[in-house]
Amino acid sequence: MASLGAPFRRTYRYLQRQAHENPVIFYSVVLGTVGPVLAVAVPPIRESFGYRPAEMVPTSYPLPKRPRRPVQGYDDE
């Protein structure tokens, strides 16, 4: 039964050693694997807390429903 846990124990010891000897590479790999997991896990968690996305920003300005007057003054003649 002890042989079933041996690969996990060796992997843990290897990761400990790498974190001590090559911390930059180790933590880069850790952050690289956590990123995609968070990209999948965070949106449902946010929705469960009641988060709603913000209203879309308008992309055009509404024009008034009247005839346009030409601008007068300030040397616009």
Side-chain angles (χ1 to χ4, degrees):
M1 206 57 163
S3 65
L4 290 176
F8 298 109
R9 195 173 321 123
R10 278 185 269 158
T11 301
Y12 179 73
R13 299 272 306 180
Y14 172 75
L15 292 175
Q16 269 187 326
R17 183 169 154 246
Q18 287 303 102
H20 181 71
E21 292 182 7
N22 300 319
V24 173
I25 297 172
F26 174 76
Y27 288 109
S28 297
V29 170
V30 168
L31 288 175
T33 55
V34 168
V37 172
L38 289 178
V40 172
V42 168
I45 294 170
R46 286 171 64 177
E47 288 176 6
S48 70
F49 283 124
Y51 171 79
R52 283 195 225 155
E55 188 176 312
M56 293 294 292
V57 176
T59 56
S60 66
Y61 185 78
L63 295 175
K65 296 182 181 179
R66 60 176 168 77
R68 299 201 52 163
R69 297 183 314 247
V71 180
Q72 299 262 332
Y74 298 105
D75 298 326
D76 287 335
E77 301 173 290

